[in-house]
Amino acid sequence: MFAVNGDGADTIQRSLYYQPTNQPQAIHQRTESMTLLIQRPVRSAHERPESTESSRSENNRASTRVSALKAVTARLNGAFMYEYLLTRRETLSMHLMGSIRKGAGAEVVLAARLLSIVVVTLGEDGVALHDEFAPVLRTLARNPAKPPAARAAALQAVSTMCFASAHHDAEVADLIQLNRDVYTGKIKGSKKGGDELICQAIRSWAMLVSTMPDARIGGKFVDKNMGRLMELLDHDNVDVRIAAGEAIALLYEAFMNAEDVEDEEEDEEEEEEEEDDFDEDDKSDDEYSYENNNDDGFDIQELTEKLEELSTDGSKKRGKKDRKVQRASFRDILASVEDGTAPTETMIVCDEKVEFSGWRQILRLYSFRAVLGDGLLVHLGNNPVLADAFGLDLSAFAASKQRTNADRREMKNEILRQAEIKQRARQDNDTKKRRAKRAHIHNDDEY
């Protein structure tokens, strides 16, 4: 069971996988408890606090809303509650809109993240929420008077909502441009908006670019964006440098994939036409190769040298922790650019081993992990949005959920038996090598 306690609210309990109940009265009461603390006091436009006592009361109310937002976020991260949220969209929408428009500081950031979780859970059924909140979040992201953390949260929320619910080409293109305008400093106040805002803009941009086909990313799109991303590799903040490097790896991977497909199609056409002028065909291929078609783009050798420098950076002007994180990240990025090695990450979802491979999947994984936090595993095993994003089979996970504790113990014991067998085999091999070495030394002594 998963339980979340809110200030003044009843304890809300739900099983890991949401199950409908036959007590609608109890559910209604729990819902009111959950949302009541997020409510903002209703006040006319000309009404002001009459004393410091009222101001103190308002501050306490704000802190209560922040606590409630944290509690609700933790609850939704601990379970996939699609049916629960489907019937409560309007209630949550009303209160979240108030927090995003009128809140300050942590309240805006938490409300934006909670909104992202709700839309990721609802998927296509969250389109109405996307349409309602997207203009507000766009305005917030552009507003230089707002705190950088709030603007970054707005970019993350509107980009995540677009990925999870809308996914229309025009909407994706507009948000890609918005994020690019932020990290390139074209929007007023973006350059002074702080490292957090720039980093989030790059990550949101990369997540949305991952929805584009490889053929559309290659060519002019790469040339348009690679130059500015390479400039950000010299940024003072390590998170910005890493985000820029990962975005570069995504672009390069997509371009190489598109080039491979183009070469395969050309080979098929040549076989069908049975042409004999192979020399002319080779020349045509060279015209479309990346190295010979980047006059307005970037120098691949310069990029490789820069990535190699960052992957071995030992500069004392950077902190020890920053150097360690940077070197580890850029080793993977350099391997992708130099050798075409795809990064991988393995997770256990519902007792099943799942491998994520390639920058397209890895960057999506990073984005969902930033939104869902500890709830990522639960959503990977239940959420159709994430299943579609990563090509997962939810039916396989459903079968795993039916396993009894005895089945799980048997699987664990089998894994331990296999590990023990491998360990014994290694020990036997080591023993044989030592005996052979001693025998060899003994023979040498005799001679």
Side-chain angles (χ1 to χ4, degrees):
M1 301 294 287
F2 181 87
V4 174
N5 296 325
D7 296 342
D10 295 335
T11 300
I12 304 172
Q13 293 186 332
R14 278 287 186 271
S15 60
L16 183 61
Y17 308 105
Y18 175 75
Q19 297 292 337
T21 179
N22 294 325
Q23 298 177 348
Q25 181 80 20
I27 282 191
H28 179 71
Q29 291 174 353
R30 290 168 180 169
T31 307
E32 292 301 320
S33 301
M34 181 180 72
T35 58
L36 181 61
L37 297 177
I38 311 177
Q39 283 184 316
R40 304 187 64 85
V42 179
R43 182 183 292 133
S44 65
H46 303 288
E47 185 180 353
R48 293 183 178 180
E50 297 178 357
S51 63
T52 55
E53 188 84 22
S54 300
S55 177
R56 190 180 301 111
S57 176
E58 177 66 16
N59 289 336
N60 291 338
R61 185 67 179 174
S63 64
T64 302
R65 287 195 300 272
V66 168
S67 298
L69 287 167
K70 290 180 179 178
V72 177
T73 299
R75 179 188 176 194
L76 295 182
N77 272 346
F80 180 63
M81 304 180 67
Y82 169 80
E83 295 179 16
Y84 184 87
L85 291 176
L86 189 61
T87 58
R88 290 157 179 85
R89 284 176 297 182
E90 292 77 9
T91 304
L92 280 171
S93 171
M94 178 179 62
H95 299 315
L96 291 176
M97 183 63 79
S99 291
I100 291 173
R101 279 183 166 172
K102 302 177 183 179
E107 183 178 353
V108 179
V109 175
L110 289 168
R113 185 187 173 196
L114 178 55
L115 175 64
S116 299
I117 296 172
V118 171
V119 176
V120 167
T121 302
L122 293 176
E124 294 181 355
D125 291 316
V127 172
L129 290 175
H130 168 270
D131 295 341
E132 179 183 2
F133 280 88
V136 178
L137 294 170
R138 285 169 177 266
T139 302
L140 174 59
R142 289 190 177 96
N143 190 347
K146 294 295 184 181
R151 297 175 65 190
L155 281 178
Q156 182 186 49
V158 71
S159 301
T160 303
M161 288 196 306
C162 177
F163 185 99
S165 62
H167 229 166
H168 301 307
D169 289 345
E171 178 74 10
V172 171
D174 288 345
L175 283 176
I176 286 176
Q177 188 60 46
L178 171 62
N179 283 288
R180 187 178 189 277
D181 289 345
V182 171
Y183 75 71
T184 57
K186 288 186 178 180
I187 293 180
K188 184 179 179 182
S190 295
K191 290 185 178 180
K192 300 179 181 179
D195 301 332
E196 180 182 5
L197 177 60
I198 298 174
C199 184
Q200 183 58 58
I202 298 172
R203 294 198 182 282
S204 297
W205 179 89
M207 180 182 68
L208 293 171
V209 168
S210 74
T211 66
M212 298 169 56
D214 291 333
R216 287 187 58 190
I217 296 177
K220 292 182 178 179
F221 187 88
V222 171
D223 293 338
K224 176 184 177 182
N225 293 280
M226 192 70 83
R228 178 54 182 159
L229 290 172
M230 287 182 63
E231 292 176 7
L232 289 173
L233 294 177
D234 293 318
H235 198 277
D236 293 335
N237 184 271
V238 64
D239 292 329
V240 173
R241 294 196 297 273
I242 291 173
E246 291 170 346
I248 288 173
L250 172 68
L251 293 181
Y252 193 82
E253 178 184 71
F255 174 82
M256 295 307 296
N257 290 340
E259 193 172 62
D260 291 342
V261 171
E262 183 178 347
D263 291 342
E264 291 177 2
E265 291 177 350
E266 289 179 358
D267 291 341
E268 291 177 0
E269 290 178 1
E270 290 174 4
E271 292 177 1
E272 291 175 358
E273 295 174 0
E274 296 181 355
E275 295 179 348
D276 297 327
D277 50 342
F278 297 108
D279 294 337
E280 183 177 349
D281 291 339
D282 291 341
K283 181 179 179 181
S284 176
D285 288 343
D286 287 340
E287 291 174 356
Y288 289 96
S289 66
Y290 193 80
E291 290 77 8
N292 296 329
N293 193 30
N294 63 348
D295 293 338
D296 299 325
F298 67 98
D299 186 346
I300 186 63
Q301 183 176 355
E302 179 186 351
L303 172 62
T304 304
E305 291 175 355
K306 184 62 181 178
L307 294 177
E308 186 173 0
E309 175 189 338
L310 291 169
S311 68
T312 58
D313 187 9
S315 174
K316 298 299 182 181
K317 68 179 181 179
R318 311 190 197 280
K320 183 177 180 180
K321 181 179 179 181
D322 287 351
R323 293 199 305 270
K324 182 179 180 180
V325 173
Q326 175 180 293
R327 288 196 294 263
S329 298
F330 277 95
R331 278 196 293 268
D332 292 338
I333 296 170
L334 178 63
S336 297
V337 174
E338 277 190 330
D339 309 324
T341 304
T344 60
E345 182 170 340
T346 303
M347 301 176 69
I348 303 298
V349 181
C350 298
D351 297 331
E352 297 290 336
K353 183 178 178 181
V354 179
E355 184 176 279
F356 304 90
S357 178
W359 287 107
R360 187 183 297 267
Q361 288 199 351
I362 292 296
L363 294 186
R364 289 180 181 181
L365 188 65
Y366 290 168
S367 296
F368 281 117
R369 182 179 285 136
V371 171
L372 299 171
D374 295 338
L376 178 62
L377 285 176
V378 174
H379 281 263
L380 284 172
N382 295 270
N383 194 333
V385 172
L386 272 67
D388 182 62
F390 299 110
L392 304 178
D393 183 7
L394 292 183
S395 61
F397 297 144
S400 298
K401 296 169 193 173
Q402 303 302 321
R403 291 174 184 159
T404 64
N405 290 334
D407 294 333
R408 291 190 176 91
R409 284 195 298 270
E410 181 60 30
M411 288 180 59
K412 183 178 179 180
N413 291 335
E414 179 62 26
I415 293 173
L416 293 175
R417 283 195 294 270
Q418 294 297 329
E420 186 178 350
I421 292 172
K422 291 181 180 179
Q423 180 66 20
R424 283 201 302 267
R426 283 195 293 268
Q427 291 175 350
D428 292 342
N429 289 334
D430 291 341
T431 302
K432 290 178 182 178
K433 289 179 181 178
R434 286 195 297 269
R435 289 175 179 172
K437 185 176 181 181
R438 285 198 297 268
H440 180 71
I441 294 174
H442 179 70
N443 293 335
D444 289 342
D445 292 341
E446 288 182 352
Y447 288 107

